[in-house]
C-alpha cells in the first residue's frame, strides 16, 4: 500500500481502539432505562429479602451460579390475570423436539420454552453442534412468556405434538393459555399465543457463551432492529438508555455470526431490552435479552440460525441487512459476491482470499502505478523543492513571502510535469475498499471454522502461532523500504516504525484478514520492483 494509505488506516484503527478503551469505557458509564431500577447485587452483599436462595434459583428468578447478577430488577405492578397461575400441578415435566435437516429445537413443557436450539450444520470449538441457547443463564429462555413482572417459566404446560407443530396448553379456573409453535423446513418457527392479556414473549437471554472471544475481535451479543430502512444496533453499554421504536419491522439478538430474529404479524406494541450479568472467576460477563408485546392476535415468526447472507436474503423482510458489511457496505456486498464466486471453483476460503486479493490488486494496478510514479517524481524533485524552501526560510511567517514561495513551487511542479496530489487518488480509492474488505472478512459466517492450510484451522480466529501477523509486518516493512521516500529524515524513520505498530495492533486479528493483508503486501512488493526497474530504464 502507499504510505499515506498505511498511515490513514493505522491511525483510524488506533483511534477507534483508543476511543473505545479510554473514552467510551471510562467516561460513558451505563445508564438505566427510565422507569427501571438498576442494581448490581452479589450474594455476599445481600441482606434480608434480597438474599439469593435455592428456592429463588429453582423458581427461575436467578441463575444457577452463586455469583450470578441480575440487572434491571423490576418494580412493575402485577397484572391481575397472572394471579391464577402456579407451579403446583400434577403434569409431568418432559421434553418435546421439533427438528428438520438444519435445526433441532428441544422444548420443555415447564414454561413452554426452548432448552436448546441446535444448529446441525455448525459446530462449536468443542466439536459439538452449535446451540443458540445460552446455558450460563438458567432463566429467560427463548419463547418465555411474561406478564408484567411475572414469568410463566415455572408453569407446567400440557404438551401435544403433531408433526412439526407443538401445542402447549395450561388451564385453571376456566382460563386457558395456548402456545403454538410450528417449525418450517428452514430456520424459522411460526408461533402464536392465546388467552393472556398484556403478555410479552422473550427472545431469550443472549446467545451461546462459547462464542466469547479473548480479544477486541469479540463476538459478543447485542440487540438489533430494522427501522426506517436501516438496521440499528444497541450495544450492551447503551441498552439501559436506548429505546426501541415499536414501529420496528423486526428485532433481533445477534452476535457476529448468529441471530435470533422476531418478526410480528401485525407489529409491536411494546419492546423491553434487558441486560443480565454474571461472573466467571474474577471476570464479569453480560448478555442481552429482549421482550416483545405484539399487536392484535399474538402471532409472529422467529428466525433462529446463522447469518448466511444468501439465506437471509431469500427470506426477505430485509433480514440480510443484519450481516454487517461496515461503513462501506455497498463495496462490501459486491466484494463478497466476488469472493463467494471464487470459492465455488477453489473450494478453500483461504486460497479464495489469496486469489480475491490478487484480482483486486490487478484492478487497482493502473491507479497504484500512477500514484507510485508520481511519488517517485516528487522524490526526485525534492532537492529543488528544498532549495526554494530554504530561499524563503529567512522571511519566517511573512504571509506575502509565503505566497510567493508557494507560487514558485507551483511553477516548478508545472514545469516538471508533477502533480503533488498525484498519489491521493489511489489512497482515496483504497481506503474504502480496505475497510469494506476488513468488515467483510471479519463478519461473514463463511470463514467461521473454515481452514486454510496446516496450522490455520479457523480463518475467523487469530493465528495461534502468530505466523501471519509477523509475515504481514515483515512484508509491510519491505514495502516501506521499496517505496520512494519523501519528507524529512524523521518522517522517513516514522514510516519504518509503522509496520511494527500495525503488527501489534493486528496481532490478534482474524487469520483471514491477515492473509489478505499479507497477500496484498507481497503483490505490492512485486509491483514496486517492476516500477522501480521501469523508472531506472526511463531515467
Amino acid at each position: 500500500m502507499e504510505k499515506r494509505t498505511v498511515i490513514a488506516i493505522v491511525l483510524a484503527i488506533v483511534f477507534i481502539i483508543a476511543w473505545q478503551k479510554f473514552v467510551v469505557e471510562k467516561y460513558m458509564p451505563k445508564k438505566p432505562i427510565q422507569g427501571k431500577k438498576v442494581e448490581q447485587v452479589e450474594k455476599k452483599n445481600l441482606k434480608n429479602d434480597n438474599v439469593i436462595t435455592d428456592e429463588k434459583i429453582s423458581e427461575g428468578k436467578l441463575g444457577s451460579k452463586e455469583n450470578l447478577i441480575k440487572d434491571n430488577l423490576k418494580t412493575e405492578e402485577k397484572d391481575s390475570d397472572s394471579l391464577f397461575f402456579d407451579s403446583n400441578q400434577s403434569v409431568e415435566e418432559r421434553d418435546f423436539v421439533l427438528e428438520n435437516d438444519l435445526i433441532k429445537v428441544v422444548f420443555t413443557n415447564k414454561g413452554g420454552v426452548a432448552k436448546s436450539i441446535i444448529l446441525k450444520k455448525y459446530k462449536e470449538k468443542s466439536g459439538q453442534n452449535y446451540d443458540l441457547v445460552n446455558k450460563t443463564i438458567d432463566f429467560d429462555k427463548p419463547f418465555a412468556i411474561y406478564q408484567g413482572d411475572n414469568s410463566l417459566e415455572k408453569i407446567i404446560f400440557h404438551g401435544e405434538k403433531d408433526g412439526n407443530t407443538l401445542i402447549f396448553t395450561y388451564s385453571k379456573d376456566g382460563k386457558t393459555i395456548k402456545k403454538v409453535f410450528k417449525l418450517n423446513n428452514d430456520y424459522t418457527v411460526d408461533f402464536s399465543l392465546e388467552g393472556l392479556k398484556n403478555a410479552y414473549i422473550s427472545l431469550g437471554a443472549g446467545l451461546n457463551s462459547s462464542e466469547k472471544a479473548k480479544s477486541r475481535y469479540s463476538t459478543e451479543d447485542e440487540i438489533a432492529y430494522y427501522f426506517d430502512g436501516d438496521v440499528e444496533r444497541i450495544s450492551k453499554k447503551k441498552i439501559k438508555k436506548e429505546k426501541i421504536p415499536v414501529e420496528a419491522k423486526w428485532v433481533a439478538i445477534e452476535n457476529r455470526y448468529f441471530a435470533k430474529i422476531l418478526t410480528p404479524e401485525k407489529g409491536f406494541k411494546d419492546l423491553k431490552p434487558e441486560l443480565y450479568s454474571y461472573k466467571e472467576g474474577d471476570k464479569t460477563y453480560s448478555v442481552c435479552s429482549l421482550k416483545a408485546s405484539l399487536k392484535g392476535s399474538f402471532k409472529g415468526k422467529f428466525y433462529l440460525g446463522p447469518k448466511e447472507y444468501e439465506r437471509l436474503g431469500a427470506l426477505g423482510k430485509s433480514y440480510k441487512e443484519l450481516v454487517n458489511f461496515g461503513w462501506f457496505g455497498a463495496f462490501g456486498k459486491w466484494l463478497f459476491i466476488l469472493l463467494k464466486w471464487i470459492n465455488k471453483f477453489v473450494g478453500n476460503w483461504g486460497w479464495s482470499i489469496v486469489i480475491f486479493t490478487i484480482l483486486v490488486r490487478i484492478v487497482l494496478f493502473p491507479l497504484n502505478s500512477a500514484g507510485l510514479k508520481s511519488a517517485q517524481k516528487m522524490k526526485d524533485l525534492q532537492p529543488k523543492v528544498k532549495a526554494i524552501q530554504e530561499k524563503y526560510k529567512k522571511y519566517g511567517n511573512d504571509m506575502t513571502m509565503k505566497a510567493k514561495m508557494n507560487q514558485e513551487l507551483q511553477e516548478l511542479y508545472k514545469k516538471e510535469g508533477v502533480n503533488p496530489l498525484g498519489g491521493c487518488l489511489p489512497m482515496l480509492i483504497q481506503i474504502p475498499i480496505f475497510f469494506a474488505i476488513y468488515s467483510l472478512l471479519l463478519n461473514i459466517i463463511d470463514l467461521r471454522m473454515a481452514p486454510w492450510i496446516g496450522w490455520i484451522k479457523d480463518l475467523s480466529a487469530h493465528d495461534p502461532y502468530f505466523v501471519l501477523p509477523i509475515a504481514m509486518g515483515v512484508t509491510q516493512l519491505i514495502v516501506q523500504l521499496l517505496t520512494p521516500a519523501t519528507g524529512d529524515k524523521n518522517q522517513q524513520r516514522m514510516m519504518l516504525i509503522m509496520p511494527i505498530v500495525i503488527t501489534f495492533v493486528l496481532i490478534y486479528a482474524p487469520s483471514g484478514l491477515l492473509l489478505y493483508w499479507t497477500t496484498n503486501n507481497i503483490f505490492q512488493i512485486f509491483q514496486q520492483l517492476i516500477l522501480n526497474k521501469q523508472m531506472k530504464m526511463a531515467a
Side-chain angles (χ1 to χ4, degrees), residues 59-108:
E59 290 176 353
K61 295 180 180 178
L62 294 169
S64 60
K65 295 183 178 290
E66 285 187 354
N67 54 7
L68 180 66
I69 304 165
K70 182 178 179 182
D71 287 350
N72 301 330
L73 299 178
K74 301 177 183 178
T75 57
E76 297 176 4
E77 183 180 354
K78 295 182 179 181
D79 190 283
S80 59
D81 280 356
S82 66
L83 299 179
F84 79 93
F85 301 123
D86 63 61
S87 59
N88 298 320
Q89 303 167 63
S90 58
V91 180
E92 180 184 357
E93 183 179 350
R94 55 174 294 204
D95 292 345
F96 297 83
V97 177
L98 299 181
E99 66 179 315
N100 56 32
D101 293 339
L102 300 173
I103 186 172
K104 178 181 178 181
V105 185
V106 180
F107 290 86
T108 173

Side-chain angles (χ1 to χ4, degrees), residues 273-324:
E274 303 278 0
L275 186 67
Y276 304 114
S277 301
Y278 62 93
K279 282 191 174 181
E280 287 184 354
D282 60 348
K283 291 186 177 180
T284 300
Y285 299 98
S286 57
V287 294
C288 304
S289 184
L290 184 61
K291 301 175 178 66
S293 181
L294 311 187
K295 290 181 179 179
S297 57
F298 207 100
K299 294 181 180 180
K301 183 186 292 288
F302 279 94
Y303 174 85
L304 309 165
K307 290 162 63 175
E308 299 174 3
Y309 187 71
E310 291 92 344
R311 184 181 297 278
L312 293 174
L315 290 171
K317 304 182 187 299
S318 302
Y319 286 162
K320 67 179 181 180
E321 302 304 321
L322 204 55
V323 179
N324 187 3

Side-chain angles (χ1 to χ4, degrees), residues 3-20:
K3 290 182 180 180
R4 278 174 279 189
T5 306
V6 174
I7 294 174
I9 291 170
V10 171
L11 291 179
I13 294 173
V14 172
F15 174 78
I16 291 170
I17 294 171
W19 177 269
Q20 179 70 26

Side-chain angles (χ1 to χ4, degrees), residues 514-533:
L514 292 175
L515 179 58
Y516 156 74
W517 199 317
T518 304
T519 305
N520 187 78
N521 286 344
I522 293 172
F523 189 98
Q524 176 73 14
I525 290 170
F526 282 104
Q527 177 181 329
Q528 190 63 57
L529 288 172
I530 292 171
L531 289 173
N532 288 351
K533 186 176 180 179

Side-chain angles (χ1 to χ4, degrees), residues 442-456:
L442 196 64
N443 291 308
I444 58 171
I445 194 171
D446 307 76
L447 299 188
R448 183 183 181 271
M449 295 194 177
W452 177 37
I453 57 172
W455 73 102
I456 302 295

Side-chain angles (χ1 to χ4, degrees), residues 249-267:
K249 188 175 181 179
W250 47 258
V251 294
I253 293 177
E254 61 161 357
N255 60 23
R256 181 162 292 143
Y257 303 120
F258 302 97
K260 298 180 291 188
I261 309 174
L262 169 58
T263 306
E265 184 179 81
K266 296 184 178 179

